[in-house]
Amino acid sequence: RNGRPPPPILPTWRLNERHYGMLQGLDKRDTLEKWPDPAALREWRLSFAGRPPPMAADHPFYSRSPERLAALRAANADGEPLRDEDVPLTESIADCVSRVRPFWENELLPALLDGSNCLVVGHANGLRALVACVQQNVDDESLPSLGLPNGLPLIYELEPDGSVRYPSEGRCYVPPLQAYYLGDACLVFNALDQDRSGALSRDELLDVCRASFDSIDGDGDGQVAAEELAAACGDELLRDADTNGDGLVNFLEYMAWWNRQKRGAAGTSLKSFDQ
């Protein structure tokens, strides 16, 4: 538009989503409920270094099949060459950070320091890994549950030396990020997050119910009866919104939950481990 050429699009396999090994493609909710070793599953999903068992060659989505490798190389034809060993069979968040760091150091950071404005589009764990590269003070153990909502622009501003400029006046931040979100959702979340922890507790979620009086008033009488409030708030609301099972609702979970309320849909949009 306006006679300007479109910006270049540069693909990179280094921003691929985390590989969940033998869990790849499984339904997230069903697996959380039925996996025989919940402690191991939690370690694989929510720790920095935990890796699921690797994908075997007979897995229906085997990552190193000739067809899959050919498709990956075709998608990255204009980017960094992809070797067989670059395609993982399982990954931890720590592995994702190691995979993403060369992209940050060798491509993205030099472009930013050269004065470019760059829009990075990727998947949740690839972007979490990029956050760890950009913002050195993010704790490793908090990284797996760091909430990054889909489709909501998150903006880092850098100083000339490459360090993060933080804070910028009038911008909305969700701890521990030193990047700000566009739109009003961040402002609403922060109003609920009274302790500024970056996640909502059960008690803080009660304010969501109070702010959503009309949707809670199931019988339409203009009053919230005790049974209606109990059905909508507290533990039930936490169970619905807390998809990673850590007892808190981060910004990603809050946005997914809120979007479901607007659609009037049941269930979760976080369908599988590789989404």
Side-chain angles (χ1 to χ4, degrees):
R1 293 184 177 182
N2 301 322
R4 290 182 292 185
I9 299 176
L10 306 176
T12 174
W13 53 268
R14 292 191 178 276
L15 286 177
N16 286 353
E17 175 58 305
R18 176 189 175 186
H19 198 297
Y20 282 93
M22 67 178 292
L23 302 178
Q24 197 85 353
L26 296 181
D27 182 90
K28 181 176 181 178
R29 183 75 74 175
D30 285 350
T31 306
L32 288 172
E33 292 174 354
K34 299 174 183 178
W35 194 262
D37 188 349
L41 190 65
R42 184 176 181 83
E43 169 71 14
W44 300 334
R45 294 184 58 247
L46 298 180
S47 72
F48 184 66
R51 281 192 200 102
M55 177 183 283
D58 60 354
H59 194 285
F61 304 118
Y62 185 58
S63 299
R64 292 182 184 171
S65 68
E67 297 80 10
R68 180 62 175 160
L69 287 171
L72 287 170
R73 291 192 172 108
N76 289 271
D78 297 328
E80 180 182 355
L82 179 69
R83 305 168 299 173
D84 288 8
E85 58 267 31
D86 292 325
V87 179
L89 297 178
T90 186
E91 282 184 310
S92 64
I93 295 291
D95 295 327
C96 290
V97 174
S98 297
R99 167 161 55 83
V100 170
R101 191 173 299 281
F103 166 71
W104 164 248
E105 293 178 347
N106 301 330
E107 297 185 56
L108 184 55
L109 180 58
L112 294 169
L113 295 180
D114 197 39
S116 297
N117 291 321
C118 299
L119 174 64
V120 180
V121 180
H123 298 277
N125 286 301
L127 295 179
R128 288 186 180 107
L130 182 57
V131 165
C133 298
V134 177
Q135 189 179 323
Q136 301 295 323
N137 64 343
V138 175
D139 178 73
D140 288 347
E141 294 308 317
S142 68
L143 195 63
S145 59
L146 187 66
L148 301 176
N150 296 335
L152 195 61
L154 178 67
I155 299 175
Y156 276 102
E157 295 182 345
L158 300 185
E159 301 289 356
D161 63 358
S163 61
V164 177
R165 180 182 301 146
Y166 171 82
S168 293
E169 186 177 354
R171 300 300 187 179
C172 186
Y173 299 85
V174 175
L177 294 176
Q178 293 179 346
Y180 59 84
Y181 286 101
L182 298 183
D184 295 335
C186 173
L187 298 172
V188 175
F189 181 85
N190 281 344
L192 296 168
D193 183 20
Q194 298 172 12
D195 62 4
R196 301 291 292 139
S197 66
L200 304 181
S201 66
R202 177 189 178 278
D203 290 342
E204 289 169 333
L205 285 170
L206 293 178
D207 287 337
V208 178
C209 300
R210 299 184 184 103
S212 305
F213 178 91
D214 290 340
S215 64
I216 298 169
D217 183 22
D219 59 14
D221 64 358
Q223 300 182 25
V224 179
E227 59 272 18
E228 291 175 323
L229 190 60
C233 292
D235 293 335
E236 185 168 341
L237 183 53
L238 183 62
R239 283 194 299 269
D240 188 34
D242 178 24
T243 56
N244 70 9
D246 67 352
L248 297 168
V249 176
N250 62 36
F251 192 37
L252 167 62
E253 293 169 326
Y254 168 78
M255 288 301 300
W257 174 85
W258 181 245
N259 287 330
R260 290 199 300 275
Q261 311 316 302
K262 291 195 295 184
R263 292 195 304 264
T268 176
S269 61
L270 300 176
K271 220 178 145 187
S272 66
F273 280 93
D274 50 319
Q275 291 180 313

